[in-house]
Amino acid sequence: MNPLVVANWKMNPSSLAEAKDLFGAIEKGVSDINNTEVVICPPFPYVSEMQNIKRKIKIGSQNCFWEDNGAFTGEISPKMLKDLGIEYVIVGHSERRKYLQETDEMINKKIRAALYANLKPILCIGESAEEKEGGRTKDVILAQLRQDLDGISEALIIAYEPVWAVGTGMACVVSDAKEANLFLRDNTQNSILLYGGSVNGQNAKGYIADAGFQGLLVGGSSLYEEEFLKIIKSVDL
Ligand code: PGA
């Protein structure tokens, strides 16, 4: 399978002009990339503009709700995303679990709704620093898988993102990432596994070539075109 590299821009950059510049520069940089699927998940207000200028890059959403429409102020449905030509949606990111109190039950509903709308959900799971120190990594990710995927039999995209590695500059060592990869492989069926958490141009390749992941979920480094292109080029087959 060709590597899948997903950029999660989070709540950045702070203007449409900057988003267009960054997107345009990345699009230009991937013109000679043929074997890696590149997806950018911009903040929602920029999505339509990015849709207009995209060529090779696919667009994803950072979140969705679980109903098609109705009185849910501020929410966006999977059906609306699909209608805009969006293919991917990140679900259950650790920042949403932390700041928006998103629960596994809500995440389960979102994944079901996204699959129903024919979107490709990217489920984020991973342990906290405390859980890692307590030797509970496998228990935690297994519990998340069981609850988030309860009643769901489709293979999907799962991003292993240790919470302590997200946005901290402390990427997971390859041997630990490999162990998590094997564990996820044993406990999911045919899912595409991504690694995320402080990925940069230096460490990206190791997660694919040595730890066995099929792709990456990149936050901070995806806001710097040179660094992001370095990541893509280092994993492109
Ligand atoms: P990071 O974020 O690359 O900045 O650690 C990853 C993510 O939030 O998906």
Side-chain angles (χ1 to χ4, degrees), residues 5-10 12-13 22-23 26 39-41 199-200 217-229 231-232:
V5 178
V6 183
N8 173 15
W9 280 2
K10 311 190 183 188
N12 301 293
L22 179 60
F23 194 95
I26 298 171
V39 179
I40 294 183
C41 304
V199 173
N200 59 38
L217 181 51
V218 186
S221 297
S222 69
L223 295 168
Y224 301 91
E225 73 231 32
E226 265 180 41
E227 194 67 18
F228 190 52
L229 289 169
I231 292 171
I232 296 166

